[in-house]
Amino acid sequence: MTYLVNNPADFVDESIDGFVAANSNLVRRVPGGVVRATRTPPGQVAVVIGGGSGHYPAFAGLVGQGLAHGAAMGNVFASPSAQQIYSVAKAAASDSGVLLSFGNYAGDVLNFGIAEERLKAEGIPCRCFAVTDDICSGPADKASERRGIAGDLTVFRAAALAAAEGKSLDEVYEFASHANDRTRSFGVAFSGCTLPGASQPLFTVPKGRMGVGMGIHGEQGIEEVDMPSASDLADMLVDRLLDERPDGAASPRVGVMLNGLGSVKYEELFVLYKRVSERLEAAGLTLVQPEVGELVTSFEMAGVSLTLFWLDDALEKAWTAPATTPAYCRGGVALEGEPRDDADLAAAHEEETPDASEDSKSDAAGMLAVIETIQAKIEAEAEDLGKLDAISGDGDHGIGMDTGARAALSAARRAVEKGCGAGTVLMRAGDAWANEAGGTSGALWGLGLRSVGACIGDENSVAAPVVAEGVVEATDAIMRLGGAEIGDKTMLDSMKPFSDKLAEEVKAGTPLRQAWRRAAEASQQAADATANLAPKKGRAKNHSDKSIGHADPGAISFAMIVSAVADTLESLHEDAA
């Protein structure tokens, strides 16, 4: 796989374009992903799914009649941006609104949540649902914190059937939730995967050993055991899942999925499934429409996962309903809805230049200087940020921040050249950051810059109280949409002290440049203190032992950036004087 990729930066777009070219009778391309080749019928909720690339057939391969209406695709193993999700949802939506569904990962929760708010603001009914089927990613009493893996197919199937039956948005959401409550998955890995253009895998498993509970983004397992035989592995998978039988699952009928993660191919999967089916039947279960194959992959990772879907009459109808998509065909289903034409798919890329006062246009140059400072600082520190992130994460924080900051700077420059005001410059920088960087950090910085820019606006000169208000609103939005709290070992641990101190100093009458400097010092102290915390959010929470003693990369990068901006604010003041 990796030897065919000359430019990893273009990998995702080229992959989606090729996928659409091969399946143009079923799907069409839109900015950010794909939608069905036919319009969503009036009165039908659109089910839009999504996540990072690298998991085919999830997510683009599951778009079609009887399944999703659209899929938003992010960078490799990274959440799609809020803009990408919004674009796909807008193209797929009918008058009955949109259900957004995805795996329960911090970046996806944040970006899909931002897109939901934007769609609602435009009058499009929308709800988000995060799949939580992976039993290894959290205890049973905290099931809402678990991540979504191959079991997301059962939820997508349920939501699609409810939508096709004309159910309301709330009813589609509730049926998806019911399917999620009845779905349990468990996975193992024998080796890691290699990202396009990379020279080595994200993780390795010692020869003769097996990782238990790995993630589909290259996250290592929560433990290692000796490599079992196929029979013993089947016993492990079945035993773990039977121990997690959902409350209220009285019926003995179960949907079964044995999923290969990329390198374990069909013959080996069938060998494993023989024992899986024997064990499940011996437990008194009736197996309904088993699925054995590749449903959610992780490039060439060698691994498998088993999913049990505990059925009732309604869920069995959803599980066995016909579907026709590029990668998942069950039964026969006729195409419904009018064919899309090019005009229907066209997106307005040309941005208008909002009216702005001369004072605001003058301050826009200062906002550009701030973005230039941020980009330069991140570029200088990207490698070290990546090394810090690799201790208990996937090591992409520096790369993601650098990608986002470069995009933000380009967007800010274009906005200034077009005569935009200070608020629009920041908002467009934020949107570009979120759209290009993807993932959690991209969403956080995009949301933060957009919130501050919205508060500043384009009418008045930039004033300290408005800046402080914008930072507070940005912090509140990140807490609300990201779900993090102080002490979770995230960027918020340095952002909230910065926000509080800035608001306090500005309220006391301190000039902005001095207030910002003091707030930046508080942020740095808080960021350094995260070394003593155990992570409670994101991928690092499953490897908290590695994280103790090392500061959170998101908190460090935030403190680093606001400190650099303090220097720029002082320089701008000196120039003005």
Side-chain angles (χ1 to χ4, degrees):
M1 180 270 302
T2 56
Y3 11 96
L4 299 179
V5 181
N6 296 319
N7 185 357
D10 295 333
F11 174 78
V12 174
D13 280 339
E14 301 232 352
S15 173
I16 297 175
D17 287 344
F19 164 78
V20 172
N23 298 282
S24 58
N25 61 318
L26 295 175
V27 296
R28 299 292 297 275
R29 185 76 154 101
V30 293
V34 301
V35 293
R36 290 184 186 179
T38 55
R39 295 188 181 98
T40 304
Q44 184 175 122
V45 171
V47 177
V48 173
I49 63 177
S53 296
H55 303 303
Y56 193 83
F59 295 89
L62 303 179
V63 174
Q65 305 299 319
L67 245 165
H69 296 76
M73 305 293 294
N75 290 328
V76 174
F77 294 176
S79 166
S81 69
Q83 174 62 35
Q84 290 174 303
I85 299 161
Y86 165 84
S87 174
V88 174
K90 191 79 177 291
S94 74
D95 56 336
S96 294
V98 183
L99 177 74
L100 303 175
S101 191
F102 46 90
N104 188 32
Y105 298 89
D108 291 295
V109 171
L110 187 57
N111 280 297
F112 278 90
I114 295 171
E116 177 190 14
E117 292 199 346
R118 185 173 173 184
L119 290 163
K120 286 180 176 177
E122 294 188 11
I124 300 174
C126 184
R127 295 193 70 175
C128 284
F129 188 83
V131 181
T132 58
D133 59 301
D134 181 12
I135 68 171
C136 286
S137 56
D141 60 350
K142 295 183 178 180
S144 63
E145 297 180 3
R146 290 174 167 176
R147 61 195 174 195
I149 52 175
D152 56 10
L153 179 62
T154 69
V155 177
F156 300 162
R157 292 276 271 151
L161 177 66
E165 292 179 338
K167 299 288 196 301
S168 69
L169 176 59
D170 287 344
E171 290 172 326
V172 172
Y173 177 95
E174 291 301 326
F175 195 50
S177 178
H178 179 46
N180 185 65
D181 290 343
R182 294 293 187 90
T183 305
R184 302 287 187 273
S185 299
F186 174 63
V188 299
F190 318 120
S191 72
C193 61
T194 303
L195 299 186
S199 59
Q200 57 187 9
L202 289 175
F203 71 89
T204 58
V205 179
K207 186 176 181 179
R209 301 279 285 176
M210 178 179 75
V212 176
M214 81 301 140
I216 59 172
H217 301 100
E219 305 97 328
Q220 298 185 42
I222 58 175
E223 62 176 310
E224 284 183 2
V225 299
D226 289 337
M227 178 75 78
S229 65
S231 180
D232 289 340
L233 175 55
D235 289 344
M236 174 190 288
L237 295 171
V238 171
D239 288 341
R240 295 282 185 103
L241 291 179
L242 290 182
D243 286 343
E244 280 255 355
R245 183 167 183 159
D247 294 337
S251 171
R253 300 178 68 80
V254 293
V256 184
M257 287 190 292
L258 184 61
N259 175 59
L261 281 156
S263 286
V264 180
K265 293 301 181 180
Y266 288 82
E267 286 84 352
E268 289 182 291
L269 291 171
F270 290 137
V271 169
L272 186 60
Y273 184 73
K274 178 177 181 292
R275 176 63 176 173
V276 167
S277 63
E278 291 171 352
R279 284 293 317 280
L280 292 174
E281 289 171 352
L285 301 178
T286 300
L287 282 52
V288 178
Q289 194 168 294
E291 302 286 353
V292 180
E294 293 179 337
L295 300 161
V296 176
T297 60
S298 186
F299 281 125
E300 84 285 13
M301 182 189 288
V304 299
S305 65
L306 179 65
T307 299
L308 295 185
F309 186 25
W310 299 85
L311 303 172
D312 55 24
D313 290 345
L315 293 176
E316 183 166 344
K317 182 180 180 182
W319 181 238
T320 58
T324 300
T325 77
Y328 189 87
C329 295
R330 300 294 180 270
V333 55
L335 296 181
E336 61 177 354
E338 298 178 5
R340 296 183 185 273
D341 54 31
D342 291 338
D344 182 49
L345 294 170
H349 295 294
E350 187 63 32
E351 296 175 310
E352 296 181 0
T353 301
D355 293 336
S357 69
E358 291 304 315
D359 286 340
S360 185
K361 290 179 183 179
S362 177
D363 285 339
M367 298 302 101
L368 176 57
V370 167
I371 302 299
E372 289 174 338
T373 295
I374 292 174
Q375 189 277 323
K377 186 64 175 177
I378 291 174
E379 182 179 10
E381 302 293 339
E383 183 176 353
D384 287 340
L385 289 173
K387 291 177 180 177
L388 181 60
D389 186 38
I391 293 171
S392 57
D394 55 9
D396 68 348
H397 184 65
I399 295 174
M401 291 286 286
D402 189 39
T403 300
R406 288 175 186 272
L409 180 55
S410 295
R413 284 173 174 163
R414 288 195 302 270
V416 171
E417 290 170 359
K418 291 182 177 181
C420 293
T424 295
V425 169
L426 283 184
M427 288 192 290
R428 291 194 176 170
D431 289 346
W433 190 320
N435 197 41
E436 292 299 321
T440 306
S441 64
L444 295 176
W445 278 95
L447 180 59
L449 289 174
R450 170 166 270 281
S451 297
V452 176
C455 272
I456 289 175
D458 294 329
E459 295 183 7
N460 304 309
S461 296
V462 176
V466 177
V467 173
E469 179 187 353
V471 173
V472 169
E473 289 194 8
T475 305
D476 290 345
I478 286 172
M479 291 180 68
R480 182 181 73 255
L481 293 168
E485 299 176 356
I486 295 295
D488 284 349
K489 196 165 187 172
T490 69
M491 185 181 93
L492 188 65
D493 287 303
S494 62
M495 185 178 188
K496 187 66 162 65
F498 174 82
S499 174
D500 291 347
K501 184 64 173 176
L502 182 64
E504 174 190 325
E505 292 288 340
V506 169
K507 185 176 181 180
T510 307
L512 179 60
R513 66 187 187 282
Q514 295 175 5
W516 192 283
R517 173 69 69 187
R518 293 170 187 174
E521 291 170 353
S523 177
Q524 186 63 62
Q525 293 174 2
D528 293 339
T530 62
N532 301 317
L533 299 175
K536 298 178 183 177
K537 290 287 183 180
R539 301 173 190 173
K541 71 179 181 180
N542 292 322
H543 301 281
S544 59
D545 55 328
K546 297 179 182 179
S547 178
I548 299 296
H550 301 278
D552 177 70
I556 288 294
S557 60
F558 180 87
M560 175 188 76
I561 287 170
V562 294
S563 294
V565 170
D567 295 336
T568 298
L569 293 179
E570 291 173 356
S571 176
L572 290 172
H573 175 73
E574 292 171 359
D575 292 343

